[in-house]
Amino acid sequence: MAYPPAAHPSPPQQPSVKVILTAADVSRVVDRIAHQILEKTQGAADTVLLGIPTRGVPLARRLAARIGTFENIAVPVGVLDITLYRDDLRRNGTRAVGPTQLPSTGIDGKRVVLVDDVLFSGRTVRAALDALGDVGRPASVQLAVLVDRGHRQLPIRADYVGKNIPTSLAENVRVTLAETDGADEVRLFGGTQ
């Protein structure tokens, strides 16, 4: 009696990883956003950059440094902690509350540019807007993000976008920065190869 040849199991599928932005790309994108902020804000007059932790903070500092290099002006930078304003606290458990650090000039009557690494559902930005309302009354609020991956759940859009990355909900965008992770890179995880 002849037996059919044994089937060889196929190797397990590995998740696909694609580098979207290299360190050089991140640097160019930050420069481009800094130039766009200068153009859209008439030289960053009365502008304050507020980074949303974690990676929005170093991005805000980089933008301020590049604006300073391009125009020889100091743009105030601060940190806006949104922990207590998130709508997922009940689902995701407790989080450590970080400091909100406003520039000494404050934000009242200023143009505030919120800075974050990835724009996804819009819920982080909504929480930031709520937090912002509790610490001052800016003249206007804009949003700068390194990556916009789509899939908005709220009517929020960025004024300054480094890179639009069409994604599926099964994919993940991972931003690493030298200040927080040791290297600059944006990767897309998901699917199989």
Side-chain angles (χ1 to χ4, degrees):
M1 171 171 208
Y3 292 100
H8 294 286
S10 58
Q13 300 252 327
Q14 296 296 316
S16 155
V17 179
K18 181 178 179 185
V19 175
I20 302 297
L21 296 174
T22 64
D25 296 330
V26 170
S27 180
R28 276 192 299 277
V29 164
V30 169
D31 282 357
R32 187 174 71 243
I33 293 172
H35 279 296
Q36 291 172 345
I37 289 171
L38 281 165
E39 183 178 321
K40 195 169 181 177
T41 63
Q42 294 78 43
D46 290 324
T47 299
V48 173
L49 302 176
L50 290 183
I52 300 171
T54 298
R55 288 168 189 83
V57 175
L59 285 171
R61 291 182 178 135
R62 287 186 192 189
L63 286 168
R66 297 310 292 156
I67 289 169
T69 299
F70 300 144
E71 292 294 323
N72 198 27
I73 56 170
V75 176
V77 180
V79 177
L80 183 66
D81 182 66
I82 63 164
T83 303
L84 297 177
Y85 299 87
R86 297 184 62 92
D87 63 4
D88 61 356
L89 284 177
R90 281 178 266 151
R91 282 191 292 154
N92 292 338
T94 58
R95 295 172 180 245
V97 176
T100 288
Q101 300 167 340
L102 298 181
S104 59
T105 57
I107 63 168
D108 291 337
K110 309 278 188 191
R111 177 187 300 107
V112 170
V113 179
L114 296 172
V115 182
D116 204 5
D117 57 348
V118 178
L119 178 57
F120 181 32
S121 67
R123 293 182 180 277
T124 297
V125 177
R126 191 239 3 116
L129 291 170
D130 289 347
L132 196 58
D134 281 353
V135 296
R137 190 169 194 283
S140 65
V141 180
Q142 297 177 344
L143 175 62
V145 296
L146 187 65
V147 173
D148 184 343
R149 63 166 293 188
H151 303 289
R152 219 74 74 240
Q153 296 172 351
L154 298 170
I156 291 173
R157 69 169 181 78
D159 299 276
Y160 313 100
V161 177
K163 177 98 173 155
N164 286 294
I165 302 174
T167 64
S168 76
L169 287 173
E171 294 173 311
N172 265 320
V173 173
R174 173 81 167 117
V175 173
T176 60
L177 296 176
E179 296 90 336
T180 55
D181 310 290
D184 289 348
E185 193 172 63
V186 178
R187 291 183 177 199
L188 181 64
F189 292 83
T192 55
Q193 62 182 28

